[in-house]
Amino acid sequence: MMSFFRSLAGCLLVLATSAGWSPAAAGAPLSGAPQLQVAAAADLAPCIDALNQAFVKSVGAANVKASIGSSGNLHGQIRHGAPFDVFLSADMEYPRALAKAGAADAASLVVYAHGRLVLWSTDPMLDMRQGLAVLRDRRVRRVAIANPDVAPYGRAARAALQHAGLWDAIQPKLVRGENLAQTAQFVQTGNAQAGLVSAAHVANLTGSYSGSSWLVPAEFYPVIEQGAIVTAKGRSNPLARQYLHFLQSDAGRAILQQYRFTLPRAAR
């Protein structure tokens, strides 16, 4: 038991930067090129580089940096003046709250994707065909979910477990990640035998993920509408609105679909 908590503490220490200021540039910085700072929900971690690189290609020249974290934490950072131009949330609640507070442009808010929840494990002994019922297996000692207080996928995971009548039963097994990146890391490292993460994490095309997954039926949890908005700072940056248009373009939607997001009807 003690070794588990040492490993868990190590993961939290290593991954702490992913919950806040951990910018990643889209390609090599271009001298004199305009800048764009993107705050992106952790479910976008597997595909944010691909999105940013395709965006830069579409506009010709730009330096795009993305910070990954839970939607709730990023919302709080923007409320307190973090210099982001665009906020890509895993729900609509946080960007709407920013607009209401005057920290974002309400007119720019769009739904850019719908998220999907999966049960994921790297343990070959677990039969994922059982669905959520596999979490009752005695070999499952830890079940990872994102923190429902700050992560929309955490709230979806809680709703799915409640729908299946398992929420109370697995409380002693729950491990809460600050965001989806941490939650997926718990499963990948074996610190949790199973976890509820986004389909995008399981679909990571870098090949760094393994194991098996079960797509949680959509009726088990509320629709995960993911919202993008231009922040108050981003109003003066033409790249901010261009980025939101790109997400709704054929090129942007193709990348999101490749990573197993479902798409709202295209704006015309």
Side-chain angles (χ1 to χ4, degrees):
M1 180 67 71
M2 187 60 69
S3 63
F4 165 76
F5 285 109
R6 289 195 189 102
S7 298
L8 181 58
C11 284
L12 288 170
L13 180 62
V14 170
L15 289 163
T17 56
S18 70
W21 298 89
S22 55
L30 301 173
S31 177
Q35 309 284 320
L36 183 71
Q37 298 274 358
V38 177
D43 67 321
L44 294 170
C47 64
I48 192 66
D49 286 345
L51 286 169
N52 289 348
Q53 289 164 12
F55 171 71
V56 169
K57 184 177 180 181
S58 74
V59 297
N63 289 327
V64 182
K65 293 183 179 179
S67 291
I68 301 294
S70 69
S71 297
N73 284 340
L74 292 172
H75 159 267
Q77 290 175 17
I78 295 168
R79 282 287 301 269
H80 288 89
F84 296 116
D85 300 298
V86 169
F87 177 33
L88 306 181
S89 177
D91 72 355
M92 296 292 283
E93 175 184 340
Y94 288 121
R96 282 182 180 136
L98 287 179
K100 185 176 181 180
D105 181 3
S108 69
L109 179 60
V110 296
V111 178
Y112 65 91
H114 293 164
R116 294 195 292 177
L117 191 68
V118 298
L119 178 65
W120 179 46
S121 177
T122 59
D123 187 340
M125 300 301 293
L126 296 179
D127 182 3
M128 302 303 284
R129 293 173 298 180
Q130 297 181 48
L132 294 176
V134 76
L135 300 180
R136 295 185 183 274
D137 192 311
R138 286 180 294 179
R139 288 171 294 191
V140 178
R141 301 182 304 280
R142 294 287 183 269
V143 178
I145 67 170
N147 183 355
D149 293 335
V150 294
Y153 278 85
R155 294 195 289 274
R158 179 176 60 193
L161 290 167
Q162 289 172 336
H163 184 278
L166 292 169
W167 178 249
D168 293 334
I170 69 166
Q171 285 300 307
K173 299 182 178 185
L174 281 184
V175 177
R176 293 171 173 83
E178 190 62 20
N179 56 52
L180 273 176
Q182 287 186 3
T183 305
Q185 187 74 6
F186 293 156
V187 179
Q188 188 179 16
T189 58
N191 283 313
Q193 288 70 47
L196 285 157
V197 300
S198 72
H201 278 85
V202 175
N204 188 348
L205 303 184
T206 66
S208 61
Y209 287 77
S210 59
S212 57
S213 62
W214 180 75
L215 185 64
V216 180
E219 61 268 24
F220 280 32
Y221 55 93
V223 176
I224 305 175
E225 278 194 317
Q226 307 210 176
I229 198 167
V230 174
T231 67
K233 174 184 176 295
R235 284 194 186 104
S236 60
N237 187 345
L239 287 177
R241 286 191 179 276
Q242 290 177 343
Y243 195 93
L244 265 59
H245 289 313
F246 167 76
L247 289 178
Q248 300 171 84
S249 71
D250 290 344
R253 288 164 64 87
I255 293 170
L256 290 167
Q257 195 165 39
Q258 184 179 21
Y259 283 85
R260 298 191 187 178
F261 290 97
T262 57
L263 302 174
R265 180 174 298 178
R268 296 298 181 191

